[in-house]
Amino acid sequence: MVMEPSTTTSYSVVSELEGTLLKNPKPFAYFMLVAFEASGLIRYTLLLFLWPIIALLDVLGYRNSSLKLMIFVAMAGLRESEIESVARAVLPKFYMDDISMDAWRVFGSCEKRVVVTRMPRVMVERFAKDHLRAVKVIGTEIIVNRFGYATGLIQESDVDRSVFNSVANLFVDQRPQLGLGRPLTSGSPTFLSLCEEQVHAPVPSNYNVHRLHVQLQPVIFHDGRLVKLPTPATALLILLWIPLGIILAVIRLFIGSMLPLWAIPYVSRIFNIRFIVKGKPPAPASAGNLGVLFVCTHRTVMDPVILSYVLGRSIPAVTYSVSRLSEILSPIPTFRLTRVRHVDAEIIKKELSNGDLVVYPEGTTCREPFLLRFSALFAELTDKIVPVAMNYRVGFFHATTARGWKGFDPIFFFMNPRPVYEVTFLNQLEVEATCSSGKSPYDVANYVQRILAATLGFECTNFTRKDKYRVLAGNDGTVSYSSFLDQFKKVVATIKPFFK
């Protein structure tokens, strides 16, 4: 039954994920994400076409059969490591967007926090422990063969009873004080009957708590190509748009490569691309003078190209991990950095002596409203610094990736129906705010980071490129420049999932 609103100082809480901590009770969209990001378009399409059968099984009360069908279609034949990668890099953002803050407020007020889910534990555990600060996650267990591939089957025959038994075994000596979950909808026992106090979803907003033991941890790093949660209607819309998006991207890229840079902002309106420019950009560097260093926030691989578009002239950019294909297709000069400080300093100095230059002191892109720690190298090399706040909005596809092949980034960007780029030029730093006045490079870098974050409404962090790649890709983001054959093999590996 639903308990009256009260004050809780419970030591332990067991909460259901779907429909309680998450507002959405249906896990279908999360399996669609696994199908698309871990496998490709064919598996994504198959699962979408099976949605009517999955929904019918749910309506008829065959919840276990419905769940098993989703798991089989989404995961059969995938490497367990690939499923874990999607759960680590892609799913947390979508889970966080669907969090019920009323349920979280009660869940976070307890010291021992347990999450139960009907989804495979591997899909939920990373998010629940890292962001919800759960100490234990109870879910279904996928069966993996000896070669590390998921069979598409699960160990449990009755999922609800299995969850009930797992909670009972976890709390052998003492019953959990609080249970959060949906009311009983099947004949199987639920974990709520094991709890001293039961609160049914949706959790009342006036359910009082003394204080939060933990804070909800934001999602700072996020990967994957899909912008929107692929609910059945959204997934169908994306599927229908993809062929049109590919054609549109090819046309946009072709036209962009043929026209002069100054004409792009005007012609782009015809192709539904919008540029929003704020502030007053500086005039081009005169002959014989050092160029201006544009210090920009880094959102996508398109940033330096868009900057050149709105300035109407080619501004060289220094890069690190841009793909060879992106370099070939780029309409502006690019210069690779080595991550060796004195070598990179010489490269930047040399290019500044020839004119204006673009740098990205974050060292990598970040999608969320956060700025990564700025490298202080740029502050040591010049006092002619112009901060530029760049941001973008897209509808269907993200134009960045840490796990996939970066060569597709421009294509995914231009596949969006109406991409929007915002470029805000701030005033050139006063000499008093640069190293020329005796300030340390770190103070200058931190100051530039703060004013750019304030302009965009973002939050400054101390995270670095290495932190991002450890979270999203399981490595430190170090780039090894491979041969053409190695690059070709990587392209084949990227395209191969579309034919699974």
Side-chain angles (χ1 to χ4, degrees):
M1 64 178 179
V2 179
M3 302 297 293
E4 293 296 323
S6 61
T7 298
T8 178
T9 55
S10 301
Y11 169 76
S12 58
V13 60
V14 181
S15 177
E16 190 175 11
L17 184 68
E18 304 95 308
T20 304
L21 286 170
L22 301 183
K23 290 175 281 190
N24 186 0
K26 304 294 185 182
F28 176 80
Y30 303 112
F31 286 105
M32 288 293 290
L33 284 168
V34 172
F36 185 85
E37 301 292 353
S39 181
L41 196 58
I42 293 177
R43 191 186 295 261
Y44 171 92
T45 305
L46 177 60
L47 183 57
L48 177 60
F49 285 169
L50 288 173
W51 173 77
I53 298 175
I54 293 168
L56 181 62
L57 290 172
D58 267 340
V59 170
L60 296 177
Y62 297 103
R63 298 175 66 214
N64 286 338
S65 298
S66 169
L67 177 68
K68 290 176 182 179
L69 179 58
M70 286 189 288
I71 292 174
F72 182 82
V73 176
M75 297 184 174
L78 294 180
R79 283 189 178 274
E80 184 182 24
S81 60
E82 191 61 33
I83 300 172
E84 291 172 347
S85 176
V86 173
R88 177 182 67 239
V90 179
L91 296 181
K93 161 67 175 174
F94 294 97
Y95 290 146
M96 186 65 73
D97 287 345
D98 196 38
I99 283 288
S100 166
M101 294 311 298
D102 291 330
W104 159 253
R105 195 168 48 84
V106 178
F107 184 78
S109 69
C110 301
E111 294 182 16
K112 184 176 182 180
R113 297 167 297 279
V114 178
V115 171
V116 300
T117 176
R118 291 173 56 82
M119 289 188 283
R121 177 183 53 81
V122 67
M123 288 176 60
V124 173
E125 189 167 41
R126 184 66 178 259
F127 169 75
K129 290 187 173 180
D130 288 357
H131 300 280
L132 301 182
R133 310 302 293 273
V135 298
K136 180 72 175 178
V137 177
I138 296 172
T140 53
E141 297 293 337
I142 60 174
I143 298 175
V144 179
N145 65 24
R146 61 193 180 96
F147 301 107
Y149 290 89
T151 62
L153 306 176
I154 58 175
Q155 297 176 7
E156 298 81 5
S157 55
D158 185 331
V159 175
D160 290 330
R161 183 171 291 278
S162 175
V163 168
F164 177 89
N165 292 336
S166 297
V167 174
N169 293 335
L170 185 62
F171 293 91
V172 175
D173 299 326
Q174 183 181 7
R175 296 170 64 189
Q177 279 82 7
L178 183 61
L180 308 176
R182 290 173 289 176
L184 181 66
T185 57
S186 65
S188 301
T190 71
F191 70 92
L192 289 177
S193 61
L194 299 170
C195 303
E196 295 179 3
E197 181 181 356
Q198 302 173 21
V199 178
H200 289 164
V203 175
S205 59
N206 61 342
Y207 191 98
N208 296 321
V209 294
H210 278 170
R211 65 182 179 88
L212 290 177
H213 280 283
V214 292
Q215 296 296 320
L216 188 63
Q217 298 298 307
V219 175
I220 296 177
F221 302 120
H222 171 232
D223 203 31
R225 289 297 188 182
L226 296 183
V227 173
K228 299 181 183 296
L229 182 68
T231 58
T234 303
L236 179 60
L237 184 61
I238 292 171
L239 184 63
L240 295 175
W241 175 258
I242 285 176
L244 299 174
I246 293 173
I247 295 172
L248 185 59
V250 171
I251 293 173
R252 285 167 167 172
L253 286 168
F254 176 76
I255 297 297
S257 65
M258 300 298 292
L259 294 176
L261 292 175
W262 62 265
I264 298 294
Y266 304 99
V267 178
S268 65
R269 299 171 187 172
I270 302 174
F271 296 97
N272 218 19
I273 303 173
R274 185 183 177 199
F275 298 114
I276 301 174
V277 182
K278 302 176 182 177
K280 185 178 180 181
S286 56
N289 292 327
L290 282 177
V292 167
L293 186 63
F294 292 99
V295 178
C296 305
T297 56
H298 203 6
R299 309 303 286 172
T300 78
V301 70
M302 296 297 298
D303 289 344
V305 178
I306 300 299
L307 184 66
S308 293
Y309 286 166
V310 300
L311 288 172
R313 63 183 191 273
S314 178
I315 308 294
V318 291
T319 67
Y320 177 61
S321 60
V322 173
S323 72
R324 294 290 188 187
L325 178 60
S326 295
E327 287 184 326
I328 294 171
L329 295 177
S330 176
I332 64 172
T334 58
F335 304 95
R336 283 184 177 265
L337 296 181
T338 63
R339 298 286 173 180
V340 179
R341 193 175 184 83
H342 71 277
V343 175
D344 292 343
E346 289 302 319
I347 293 173
I348 294 173
K349 284 180 181 178
K350 178 182 177 183
E351 297 309 320
L352 277 174
S353 66
N354 296 327
D356 299 338
L357 185 67
V358 185
V359 296
Y360 298 92
E362 290 174 279
T364 188
T365 59
C366 182
R367 295 177 183 174
E368 301 306 305
F370 299 92
L371 293 187
L372 306 187
R373 190 175 72 197
F374 277 28
S375 166
L377 179 61
F378 74 90
E380 302 174 10
L381 305 178
T382 182
D383 58 3
K384 299 178 68 174
I385 298 171
V386 175
V388 183
M390 304 192 72
N391 201 9
Y392 78 112
R393 299 194 301 271
V394 288
F396 285 161
F397 307 106
H398 283 296
T400 60
T401 182
R403 299 163 49 254
W405 192 50
K406 297 178 185 297
F408 287 148
D409 288 355
I411 298 173
F412 275 104
F413 176 79
F414 286 114
M415 281 176 64
N416 286 286
R418 192 171 186 266
V420 177
Y421 240 102
E422 299 180 5
V423 182
T424 304
F425 293 94
L426 279 62
N427 293 331
Q428 182 173 320
L429 293 190
E430 300 289 341
V431 175
E432 293 76 14
T434 68
C435 292
S436 297
S437 67
K439 291 185 177 294
S440 76
Y442 302 101
D443 289 339
V444 175
N446 291 338
Y447 171 69
V448 173
Q449 183 195 37
R450 287 197 302 271
I451 60 175
L452 286 173
T455 301
L456 293 169
F458 288 3
E459 184 178 334
C460 296
T461 75
N462 279 320
F463 291 111
T464 66
R465 171 192 172 84
K466 288 185 177 181
D467 296 320
K468 169 187 167 179
Y469 278 88
R470 287 192 187 106
V471 171
L472 299 184
N475 57 57
D476 64 2
T478 300
V479 175
S480 58
Y481 300 113
S482 49
S483 66
F484 175 79
L485 180 61
D486 292 332
Q487 293 280 346
F488 178 75
K489 289 178 179 177
K490 192 169 185 180
V491 175
V492 172
T494 303
I495 298 175
K496 187 177 179 181
F498 284 84
F499 300 99
K500 284 186 179 180

